Amino acid sequence: VHDVVIEENDISGWGRPGVGSFGKSRDSAVGLLSDGWRNPNVKRIIVQRNRLHTPRYDENSWPEAGHPEGPQAIFWANTGGNHVIRYNNIYGDDQHYFNDAIGGGANFDYEGFPNRDTDIYGNDISHAWDDGIESEGGNANVRIWGNYIDKTYPKIAIASTSKGPLYVWRNVFARGQYGPSGSFGSGVSFKIGSRNSWSNIGRVYLFHN
């Protein structure tokens, strides 16, 4: 699909059971995942002014079971890009966390999420055991600004930017949280760099966060 607007919806209670009491990985309020992980004809998707919150099942934190595996608010894999994600309210509660709030795949790729020509701005995001926003892959002409992110481990993940340029500015970061102990302060503003040197060659610009 292409040229789709998803606007002013209230989406909650989605997802299937995964391992134990946690949810199934990548089940999403607004999701796109194909068997081949290549969706080049999915372009120009606008997701705006929605409430994406409180999935049916919880998410494991890092101390509980390693890398978080469970529901997300938005998960898209290797699309054609040219998207807008703006003015959404994305949140859970103490019993309903996300893996990444906004993210996708593949991380170490020349496409990934959101791939290219995309704006992510004005979103209010909280309750993710991993990334508030995961923008990893090509990141060709991607802009992320004016988001408020609270109660996540990394706030914005840009660990692989294989093309660029990626611009990230005027985002506000609140509490970091690594596990359910209730202690805040653990976390990072930006997750940058990867073991794959070829995926780190794109330009990244960070201003006034």
Side-chain angles (χ1 to χ4, degrees), residues 8-197:
E8 294 186 357
N9 299 282
D10 187 315
I11 303 175
S12 64
W14 73 89
R16 298 166 290 173
V19 177
S21 60
F22 300 116
K24 187 172 179 62
S25 183
R26 303 189 182 102
D27 277 2
S28 307
V30 182
L32 171 68
L33 179 63
S34 67
D35 292 338
W37 274 62
R38 299 288 167 184
N39 300 281
N41 295 320
V42 178
K43 303 176 182 178
R44 297 184 298 275
I45 309 298
I46 299 175
V47 182
Q48 62 185 12
R49 297 187 176 90
N50 301 283
R51 293 176 64 210
L52 311 176
H53 64 99
T54 326
R56 180 175 290 118
Y57 297 97
D58 198 8
E59 167 81 20
N60 69 276
S61 67
W62 287 90
E64 289 173 304
H67 194 296
E69 294 287 338
Q72 299 194 189
I74 295 174
F75 184 95
W76 298 346
N78 292 330
T79 70
N82 204 4
H83 308 302
V84 177
I85 301 172
R86 61 186 174 190
Y87 307 136
N88 299 285
N89 193 357
I90 298 172
Y91 62 93
D93 58 33
D94 288 344
Q95 286 74 46
H96 299 88
Y97 268 70
F98 302 109
N99 174 357
D100 303 325
I102 298 174
N107 293 356
F108 307 108
D109 201 284
Y110 289 112
E111 296 174 352
F113 174 86
N115 185 3
R116 61 181 305 112
D117 304 319
T118 292
D119 296 290
I120 302 173
Y121 64 93
N123 299 285
D124 191 329
I125 299 167
S126 67
H127 296 93
W129 286 131
D130 204 22
D131 310 325
I133 298 174
E134 180 191 61
S135 181
E136 296 185 336
N139 278 332
N141 196 31
V142 171
R143 298 162 296 271
I144 302 172
W145 81 94
N147 300 282
Y148 177 81
I149 305 176
D150 185 23
K151 292 187 178 181
T152 75
Y153 181 30
K155 298 297 179 283
I156 298 179
I158 52 177
S160 63
T161 296
S162 58
K163 292 181 178 179
L166 168 67
Y167 304 91
V168 185
W169 76 95
R170 293 194 182 279
N171 298 281
V172 176
F173 307 141
R175 293 166 290 185
Q177 190 173 16
Y178 182 74
S181 64
S183 61
F184 293 95
S186 60
V188 296
S189 297
F190 297 101
K191 182 175 72 176
I192 300 175
S194 76
R195 298 184 184 93
N196 302 318
S197 59

Side-chain angles (χ1 to χ4, degrees), residues 186-209:
S186 60
V188 296
S189 297
F190 297 101
K191 182 175 72 176
I192 300 175
S194 76
R195 298 184 184 93
N196 302 318
S197 59
W198 63 267
S199 66
N200 295 325
I201 61 176
R203 295 275 183 154
V204 175
Y205 300 93
L206 310 177
F207 299 116
H208 308 300
N209 299 283

